Amino acid sequence: RYPNIWLPLLFGAAIFIFSACDEPDPRDTGKDVLPSTDLIEIRFTDTLTLDIDTRLSNRSVTGFSADKLLGTLDDQQFGTLQSSIYTQFAVETDLWDFSLSLSDQRDQFFIVDSVALGLNITSSYGNFRTPQEFKVFAISDDADYPADDSVAFSTTDLEVDPEDLCLNPADCTVDFRAAEGIGAVRFRLNPSIGEKILFADSTVFETSDIFSEFFQGLKIEAPESVPFVFREPGAILTVSMDGTNTFMDIYYRERPSLDSPFVARTAQFPIRPTTPGFFQVERNENYNDRLLGQVLNTPSRADEYEFIQQGLLVDMAVNFPTLTNLSGVSINQAELVLNVDTELLGGNDIYS
């Protein structure tokens, strides 16, 4: 949130150090190959006035990033922001050697004990110590999943199965109140999703693409509201799809024949940076009652503040109206200086 005042853009001078040599090196570039008459030796610092405009974004492409945004933040100035994740899973083909072609009797050879969804949370915007209860749904087999990440937008909404895979709210709650900071978390899911996968025909595990046609993935849905335990309740969490701490584990027991004892095993389906997925971002209409809406919807206050916020839905457009007047100038360094109103910063953890 920034007052609309002159924001100085500081330009450092290009300072050149000259050296002489007997013969030019063909690898030289820049000032070393310029004649002395073309070298700029004037040093100065200047400031430019900027035109700044706040724009609400309708949608943004969110499928390319290896980091996905997740969570709910009730910001007192921007309104409530919610971000949910849709993701598919990679399959490690060398882990799946199901020689048993007894799909109709698979439950006699495999017993699913539990399923865990791991998420690697690496950073946050807002108060990350606010507990958040998430829901997890299987993406419907009939859902039209985006053909590639370039057409996965913040507004894309896929059909999901109605059953929440989190059996209890505590199974899918992110609560860092007793932790030193953020980190990896695990959600406990309904074993039924593991049975659907392990009891499938072994041919669906041949490649990740074939597996994604059989199982389109999960939606991790942000809560509609968060408890008001801090001044700025909730947070937008950054989830790293690194494939190491972000995955789905199926814990099961297996036996090769009816006469053999069961052996405990774990099947892991990682979420890698290249695994198809995107995040869906929504801003609640309550922003109209907050400072953001009051300024944007009131022409007389248009020049009072400008806004920028993580989450892709509020953009700050910066225009340099006098930049074309800088002819014949070599710019060594440019700094964009924004004056933030400290009274609007909120609690100590708002930008953690």
Side-chain angles (χ1 to χ4, degrees), residues 2-3 14 18 20 29 64 73 76 96 122 125 153 269 271 279 298 319 328 332 342 348:
Y2 307 101
F18 299 93
T29 60
F64 283 118
L73 170 65
Q76 301 306 297
W96 300 95
T122 57
Y125 169 72
F153 299 99
F269 298 83
I271 308 174
F279 57 94
T298 307
N319 183 38
N332 178 57
T342 55
N348 293 331

Side-chain angles (χ1 to χ4, degrees), residues 67-68 119-124 182-184 237-242:
D67 295 331
K68 305 292 189 292
L119 301 175
N120 186 23
I121 300 175
T122 57
S123 64
S124 67
I182 57 178
L237 309 171
T238 301
V239 181
S240 176
M241 305 303 191
D242 57 9

Side-chain angles (χ1 to χ4, degrees), residues 32 86 92-93 106 109 112 144 198 243 275 299 301 309 338:
D32 296 323
Y86 291 90
E92 307 292 353
T93 54
R106 189 64 61 86
F109 299 92
V112 177
D144 187 13
L198 289 189
T275 302
R301 302 186 64 181
Q309 182 189 35
L338 301 175

Side-chain angles (χ1 to χ4, degrees), residues 244-269:
T244 302
N245 296 306
T246 304
F247 51 80
M248 179 173 60
D249 274 351
I250 301 177
Y251 300 93
Y252 68 100
R253 286 169 288 163
E254 175 189 14
R255 61 180 177 181
S257 66
L258 296 176
D259 298 329
S260 303
F262 282 99
V263 178
R265 300 187 184 280
T266 302
Q268 185 171 101
F269 298 83

Side-chain angles (χ1 to χ4, degrees), residues 55-296:
R55 302 173 182 176
L56 295 184
S57 174
N58 292 327
R59 67 176 187 176
S60 301
V61 177
T62 63
F64 283 118
S65 175
D67 295 331
K68 305 292 189 292
L69 302 183
L70 177 68
T72 298
L73 170 65
D74 185 8
D75 190 283
Q76 301 306 297
Q77 313 301 337
F78 288 85
T80 302
L81 192 69
Q82 296 173 262
S83 185
S84 301
I85 293 177
Y86 291 90
T87 184
Q88 296 187 336
F89 296 86
V91 60
E92 307 292 353
T93 54
D94 58 336
L95 296 179
W96 300 95
D97 183 18
F98 290 151
S99 58
L100 297 170
S101 58
L102 304 171
S103 57
D104 57 336
Q105 302 179 34
R106 189 64 61 86
D107 56 347
Q108 299 183 43
F109 299 92
F110 296 93
I111 299 177
V112 177
D113 294 317
S114 62
V115 178
L117 176 66
L119 301 175
N120 186 23
I121 300 175
T122 57
S123 64
S124 67
Y125 169 72
N127 200 316
F128 69 89
R129 298 192 186 279
T130 305
Q132 298 194 53
E133 296 179 1
F134 293 90
K135 296 180 179 181
V136 179
F137 301 93
I139 300 175
S140 173
D141 294 339
D142 299 327
D144 187 13
Y145 205 93
D148 58 70
D149 289 342
S150 65
V151 292
F153 299 99
S154 58
T155 55
T156 302
D157 190 18
L158 300 181
E159 181 182 355
V160 298
D161 294 341
E163 179 187 10
D164 182 5
L165 295 176
C166 303
L167 296 177
N168 300 293
D171 292 339
C172 297
T173 295
V174 174
D175 191 348
F176 291 121
R177 284 178 295 180
E180 295 182 0
I182 57 178
V185 298
R186 294 170 71 89
F187 292 168
R188 182 180 178 183
L189 304 183
N190 193 323
S192 63
I193 194 67
E195 293 174 353
K196 173 182 178 179
I197 293 174
L198 289 189
F199 294 171
D201 188 84
S202 60
T203 57
V204 306
F205 305 107
E206 293 179 355
T207 67
S208 293
D209 290 339
I210 296 176
F211 179 71
S212 296
E213 292 179 3
F214 164 73
F215 175 60
Q216 294 217 68
L218 299 175
K219 176 186 181 181
I220 310 166
E221 184 175 278
E224 294 183 1
S225 61
V226 287
F228 199 90
V229 294
F230 298 99
R231 177 182 170 186
E232 298 88 11
I236 300 298
L237 309 171
T238 301
V239 181
S240 176
M241 305 303 191
D242 57 9
T244 302
N245 296 306
T246 304
F247 51 80
M248 179 173 60
D249 274 351
I250 301 177
Y251 300 93
Y252 68 100
R253 286 169 288 163
E254 175 189 14
R255 61 180 177 181
S257 66
L258 296 176
D259 298 329
S260 303
F262 282 99
V263 178
R265 300 187 184 280
T266 302
Q268 185 171 101
F269 298 83
I271 308 174
R272 304 195 180 282
T274 56
T275 302
F278 62 97
F279 57 94
Q280 178 189 59
V281 186
E282 299 178 279
R283 182 177 301 281
N284 191 293
E285 291 296 326
N286 64 6
Y287 83 89
N288 287 300
D289 299 324
R290 310 290 174 90
L291 182 61
L292 174 65
Q294 293 171 4
V295 171
L296 294 183

Side-chain angles (χ1 to χ4, degrees), residues 31-50:
K31 68 179 183 62
D32 296 323
V33 297
L34 291 176
S36 58
T37 55
D38 289 347
L39 294 178
I40 301 175
E41 300 190 26
I42 300 176
R43 307 176 184 181
F44 68 92
T45 300
D46 198 4
T47 60
L48 297 178
T49 301
L50 307 180

Side-chain angles (χ1 to χ4, degrees), residues 9-24:
L9 184 61
L10 306 181
F11 294 97
I15 303 175
F16 302 108
I17 301 176
F18 299 93
S19 61
C21 56
D22 295 335
E23 295 183 3

